[in-house]
Amino acid sequence: MFKILDRYIIRKFLGTFLFSIGLIVIIVVIFDYVERVDDFIETKATFRGIVVEYYLNFVPYFVNQFTALFTFIAVIFFTSKLAYQSEIIAMLSGGMSFRRLMWPYFVSAFVITAMSLVLSLFVIPPANAKRLDFEERHRRKNLNMQVDYHIYRQVSPGVFVYIQGYRQADNTAQFFALQQYEGNRMVSSLAAARPTFDPATRRWSAPQHITRTFEGDVERFERHEQLDTMINLDAIEFGRIEKLVEAMPIGQLNRFIREQKEKGSQHIATFEVERAQRYSNPFSIFILTLIGVSLSSRKVRGGTGLHIGVGITLCFTYILFARFAQEFAKGGAMDPTFAVWLPNIIFAVVAIYLYRRAPK
């Protein structure tokens, strides 16, 4: 099934990919360490913590973010070299079809895609949780990175909670408000200063609280002793939206999205974009591989440099288009799943067109 030529192309493909991404990882880690070394020293981070808790969790995240890009660069680089040395001409002249030539490329792309899927769905989310926790503990300025200062969440249809200044260290907040709406009109609210949260029971308590009710144009204002109320909100939901979903394995993310839909959360689009990305990004490796081979398999004046220039331009166009589509989806202008997959659909059409022209 695998001939000598197949093994040769697979070895070149995977070898170039691993070398290029390994080289850039070393450079990025060095620059990142130089940027953060003052924080590490001032917060007394241990060597083991820096290496094990931070960089061993940072590297898979970085690698997966740019896997498609470096796959594309690897394909362009070594395929254009084969073309420039007339090796591809020799293959095709020897009776190999262009379709058959693609076989070892797609085998290599499948290996990289499988690795990217495993990283996206299972490895990176828990690694992100450890990395973000380390960053929060070892910053000179307490940025409270994983928890928003202003937390506004929908806990059930028409019921919203606002939490200001929540601190994970002692589970206290500066201010807590629970508001109920009918349509666009607030019908009641509850507010308390300096409340305490019990993550196990989801109960909020405070020495005093204030309630307001609205009946037509009449507002009723009452002061009460001792607040003790439970709301449908877990401590994990206090996290920043982007950081919250980045740290969830795919099974937990699916359950979380179902729960948020039941609550009527306004952030469903953001969660669904994250879920769709975990599948669409690995799939893009096949599309960019096909584009890369189709572009760089022809021997042209300008050689490898021209192939790399055109290829990188196309690749960054894809990345830019994907980012725009994601932002439109998060803003509610497009269906999240369709928006995330739209760049793949468009560039798949481009890839097929280039593939059909390549043998000519």
Side-chain angles (χ1 to χ4, degrees), residues 234-253:
D234 288 320
I236 190 174
E237 296 179 61
F238 298 161
R240 295 185 176 181
I241 295 301
E242 294 80 6
K243 306 300 181 185
L244 177 66
V245 293
E246 283 181 6
M248 291 184 179
I250 190 64
Q252 184 183 0
L253 179 59

Side-chain angles (χ1 to χ4, degrees), residues 162-167 170-177 190-198 203-209 227 229:
Y162 170 70
I163 303 165
Q164 177 182 320
Y166 178 76
R167 297 195 310 174
D170 55 5
N171 295 317
T172 61
Q174 296 179 9
F175 182 76
F176 171 87
L190 176 153
R194 304 291 177 184
T196 301
F197 177 64
D198 185 346
R203 304 192 77 87
W204 287 88
S205 59
Q208 296 181 341
H209 67 283
L227 169 69
T229 187

Side-chain angles (χ1 to χ4, degrees), residues 26 36 62 65 85 101 193-194 201 235 250 253 267 328-329:
I26 292 172
R36 299 176 185 273
F62 176 83
Q65 286 286 100
Q85 295 173 346
L101 177 65
R194 304 291 177 184
T201 62
I250 190 64
L253 179 59
H267 299 294
F328 275 117

Side-chain angles (χ1 to χ4, degrees), residues 12-22 63 66-68 70-72 74 112 115:
K12 285 283 187 180
F13 189 155
L14 296 179
T16 306
F17 168 76
L18 293 173
F19 176 79
S20 60
I21 205 164
V63 167
F66 296 97
T67 293
F70 282 100
T71 299
F72 190 64
I112 298 173
M115 177 198 73

